[in-house]
Amino acid sequence: MNTPETMTAVENRLVQLNPHVSVDCVIFGFDEGDLKVLLIERNLDELDHQSRLYSLPGNLVDDNEDLDTSAMRILKELTSIENLFLEQFYAFGDPNRVKNSTDAQWLNAVRDVPTARVITVAYYSLVKIGDYQTAPSSFARKTWWCPVSETPDLAFDHNKILNAALRSLKNKLRIEPIGFELLPKKFTLGQLQKVYETILGTVLDKRNFRRKILNKGFLKPLQEKQKGVPHKRARLFEFDQETYDSLKSGQLNFEF
Amino acid sequence: MNTPETMTAVENRLVQLNPHVSVDCVIFGFDEGDLKVLLIERNLDELDHQSRLYSLPGNLVDDNEDLDTSAMRILKELTSIENLFLEQFYAFGDPNRVKNSTDAQWLNAVRDVPTARVITVAYYSLVKIGDYQTAPSSFARKTWWCPVSETPDLAFDHNKILNAALRSLKNKLRIEPIGFELLPKKFTLGQLQKVYETILGTVLDKRNFRRKILNKGFLKPLQEKQKGVPHKRARLFEFDQETYDSLKSGQLNFEF
DNA sequence: ATATGAGCGTGTTGATATGACACATTTGAG
DNA sequence: CTCAAATGTGTCATATCAACACGCTCATAT
């Protein structure tokens, strides 16, 4: 361990010149008609439950580790899922990302050089909450699927990052059909519509939505139907990756 | 100066843990119906003109400098223009970005710690070649407006970065009207159409293009006309920022 | 058993946007 | 004064879009 006190002037200079680089992940899930984001809880003082601080999952990039690899590592540690939708969307480099003394306190606890500047590369990811349950297995800290509409104050500039992620997600959804990434493998059109409505922040007409999305041709209707619902059972659909790929290579447009 | 030889083990470790962070800029211009990119020429050996190596303009991020600020600094040094269209589009962190011995050789010449890993945050920028001439004033090295279709092998992973920039630019153009950023303040619809055609890589129908773009409402027709052309003079137009802003805040769509 | 509540599934019409398509005009150059 | 080159203009057929309402089916509650 190198604490600041033991560092030489040269070491200090090197640390100043070389910012740390981290990766932060905005992990989106969809549950009960709500868009959620996976937050990590840090108890600064185990006994004081008032001092709860939430942040996005993230970590320093390892030596010799690609940025994408680093993001996947963080995701896997948290969710133990490997093949996820994952996309880098922005790098945040404000020299004053440490916004208050609580942030600084936490950095002191976990970093070798807590005063060093940190530049973070942010990713967002879409996971199927329904299929895989959150598996904080190897991870020591508590996690929380927080509805994005109720996000509390987060550490550092994480609120800013989350907002940027939402904007990117919205743009992406208008250009590529990624909504199903948030749903179980088999889903109903109602669920899919809810995803679109939630992310785009609009209300859509059911009949128009069905027509539009089915005409794209990448949704495969199954024979199977919903079970155990207190109303008419909806037909289940699957995203048909193969057809999608072949349609996409045919230069087709998927703007919604 | 700290050469690797004089460094202690601790210093080495710090350098390893803390990658350098740089900003690279893909500066696009448009000239004679061609999309161009501003490259920098590095002569490793002043006498050997065979050893020409081109790269994107870029630099290490200064201590306490925001990423955007850093990008603007690089741009200003090269073009002496301040208010440019500038957009961050991706961070590249492959640990093996130094692709060959020429790269390494160059790093040796300009960096304190040439072996350190470098993570780069890439921006692209749109400039009006016509209005402002390239002013490499304060800049020692030679620059070249290279047609993107004829890009040579570039240093490091700069070809990859350039390609990604092109993709981002294409996406952006379909969503927001940024074509005029590449043209003089006053331009003809023919010029603008050429910009769209070049960036999108398609051929467009003149009448349909005019109808579509004029219906958006943010192009202000001027009384003035083109001069000195060996054919009918085209009417000049201006991008009307005010109208655009007010239309945009009205939630309108500008997809092309 | 039966009534209720909740979400499913379905088609038409009018308005708007789009792509395809051709020719006379104006200018500088030779 | 002829030529080459780019401007400017309208229609029609098609596709896309938004708006709109009601009967059906299931689980639950009574």
Side-chain angles (χ1 to χ4, degrees):
Chain A
M1 280 275 158
N2 293 281
T3 62
E5 288 75 16
T6 68
M7 293 175 68
T8 68
V10 172
E11 284 166 27
N12 253 312
R13 200 176 71 81
L14 285 171
V15 169
Q16 289 303 324
L17 283 175
N18 300 340
H20 290 207
V21 176
S22 69
V23 162
D24 285 320
C25 293
V26 181
I27 308 178
F28 289 114
F30 193 76
D31 194 21
E32 300 172 20
D34 235 6
L35 187 63
K36 307 208 169 167
V37 59
L38 193 64
L39 298 181
I40 289 191
E41 183 181 330
R42 294 173 184 154
N43 273 345
L44 285 175
D45 178 347
E46 288 298 331
L47 300 177
D48 177 8
H49 282 273
Q50 299 309 86
S51 73
R52 265 186 203 164
L53 181 62
Y54 291 97
S55 75
L56 294 172
N59 227 319
L60 291 183
V61 175
D62 274 357
D63 192 15
N64 264 346
E65 185 185 46
D66 193 30
L67 295 175
D68 287 7
T69 313
S70 181
M72 286 188 306
R73 176 171 55 87
I74 290 166
L75 274 171
K76 200 182 163 189
E77 280 170 357
L78 272 173
T79 66
S80 66
I81 318 172
E82 291 201 51
N83 287 324
L84 286 179
F85 179 94
L86 180 62
E87 180 148 311
Q88 189 201 114
F89 67 94
Y90 208 76
F92 296 82
D94 185 344
N96 305 311
R97 292 185 57 231
V98 176
K99 86 181 161 184
N100 55 41
S101 64
T102 327
D103 289 344
Q105 205 180 332
W106 185 79
L107 284 177
N108 261 309
V110 295
R111 293 278 163 85
D112 282 11
V113 189
T115 54
R117 174 180 179 187
V118 177
I119 286 172
T120 202
V121 179
Y123 285 75
Y124 70 89
S125 155
L126 306 180
V127 319
K128 307 171 194 297
I129 296 189
D131 274 15
Y132 322 80
Q133 276 305 346
T134 326
S137 50
S138 66
F139 220 79
R141 286 184 236 107
K142 261 196 219 158
T143 59
W144 173 36
W145 279 111
C146 168
V148 293
S149 53
E150 303 166 21
T151 318
D153 253 13
L154 301 177
F156 310 114
D157 53 355
H158 286 188
N159 289 93
K160 192 173 159 192
I161 295 180
L162 175 54
N163 286 333
L166 278 166
R167 238 174 297 130
S168 297
L169 175 60
K170 200 184 274 194
N171 285 334
K172 188 75 173 177
L173 187 62
R174 305 180 110 279
I175 291 170
E176 278 181 70
I178 53 169
F180 69 92
E181 301 276 6
L182 290 163
L183 296 173
K185 204 153 136 190
K186 302 171 179 181
F187 51 86
T188 71
L189 292 186
Q191 293 174 304
L192 189 59
Q193 180 176 347
K194 215 42 177 278
V195 168
Y196 274 81
E197 290 181 331
T198 309
I199 295 178
L200 298 179
T202 55
V203 175
L204 300 171
D205 178 86
K206 203 203 311 186
R207 283 172 287 193
N208 293 339
F209 177 80
R210 298 178 141 252
R211 178 169 28 120
K212 198 164 170 180
I213 206 90
L214 288 177
N215 278 342
K216 309 268 185 202
F218 49 69
L219 288 189
K220 185 162 64 185
L222 304 175
Q223 292 320 311
E224 220 168 328
K225 296 208 167 184
Q226 236 178 353
K227 274 180 209 160
V229 287
H231 53 73
K232 185 169 174 181
R233 294 165 179 166
R235 174 181 297 277
L236 293 173
F237 289 79
E238 259 183 16
F239 180 78
D240 183 348
Q241 188 71 47
E242 272 188 43
T243 340
Y244 175 66
D245 288 342
S246 68
L247 289 173
K248 196 168 66 170
S249 63
Q251 312 287 357
L252 280 187
N253 229 4
F254 290 103
E255 294 192 14
F256 185 78
Chain B
M1 282 274 158
N2 293 283
T3 63
E5 288 75 17
T6 68
M7 294 175 68
T8 68
V10 172
E11 284 166 26
N12 254 312
R13 200 176 70 81
L14 283 170
V15 169
Q16 289 303 323
L17 283 176
N18 299 341
H20 290 207
V21 176
S22 69
V23 162
D24 286 320
C25 293
V26 181
I27 308 179
F28 289 114
F30 194 77
D31 195 22
E32 300 173 19
D34 236 6
L35 187 63
K36 307 208 170 167
V37 59
L38 194 64
L39 299 181
I40 289 191
E41 183 180 330
R42 294 173 184 154
N43 273 344
L44 286 174
D45 178 347
E46 287 299 332
L47 299 177
D48 178 7
H49 282 274
Q50 300 309 86
S51 73
R52 265 184 203 168
L53 181 62
Y54 291 96
S55 75
L56 295 172
N59 227 319
L60 291 183
V61 174
D62 275 356
D63 192 16
N64 264 345
E65 185 185 46
D66 192 29
L67 295 175
D68 287 7
T69 314
S70 180
M72 286 189 306
R73 175 171 56 86
I74 290 166
L75 273 171
K76 200 183 162 188
E77 280 170 356
L78 271 174
T79 66
S80 65
I81 318 172
E82 291 200 52
N83 288 325
L84 286 181
F85 179 93
L86 180 62
E87 180 149 308
Q88 190 201 114
F89 67 95
Y90 209 75
F92 296 83
D94 185 346
N96 305 310
R97 292 186 56 231
V98 175
K99 82 179 166 187
N100 54 42
S101 64
T102 327
D103 288 344
Q105 204 181 333
W106 185 79
L107 284 177
N108 261 310
V110 295
R111 293 277 164 85
D112 281 11
V113 189
T115 55
R117 173 180 180 187
V118 177
I119 287 173
T120 201
V121 179
Y123 285 76
Y124 70 88
S125 155
L126 306 180
V127 319
K128 307 172 195 292
I129 296 189
D131 273 15
Y132 322 78
Q133 276 306 344
T134 326
S137 49
S138 67
F139 220 79
R141 286 184 237 107
K142 260 195 220 159
T143 60
W144 174 36
W145 280 111
C146 168
V148 292
S149 53
E150 305 165 20
T151 318
D153 253 13
L154 302 177
F156 310 114
D157 54 355
H158 287 187
N159 289 93
K160 192 173 160 193
I161 295 180
L162 175 53
N163 287 333
L166 278 166
R167 239 175 296 130
S168 298
L169 175 59
K170 202 185 272 195
N171 285 335
K172 188 74 173 179
L173 187 62
R174 306 178 108 280
I175 291 171
E176 278 180 69
I178 53 168
F180 70 93
E181 300 276 5
L182 289 164
L183 296 173
K185 204 153 136 189
K186 302 172 180 181
F187 52 86
T188 71
L189 292 186
Q191 292 174 305
L192 190 60
Q193 179 175 349
K194 215 40 175 281
V195 168
Y196 275 81
E197 289 181 332
T198 309
I199 296 178
L200 298 180
T202 56
V203 175
L204 302 170
D205 179 85
K206 202 202 313 185
R207 284 171 287 191
N208 293 339
F209 177 81
R210 298 178 140 251
R211 184 182 33 180
K212 198 164 171 180
I213 206 90
L214 287 177
N215 278 342
K216 308 270 184 201
F218 50 68
L219 289 188
K220 185 162 67 185
L222 303 175
Q223 292 321 311
E224 221 168 326
K225 297 208 167 184
Q226 236 179 353
K227 274 180 210 160
V229 287
H231 53 72
K232 187 171 174 182
R233 294 167 179 165
R235 174 181 297 278
L236 292 174
F237 289 80
E238 257 182 17
F239 180 78
D240 183 348
Q241 188 71 46
E242 273 189 43
T243 336
Y244 174 66
D245 288 343
S246 67
L247 289 172
K248 196 169 65 170
S249 64
Q251 311 289 357
L252 279 187
N253 229 3
F254 289 104
E255 293 191 14
F256 185 79

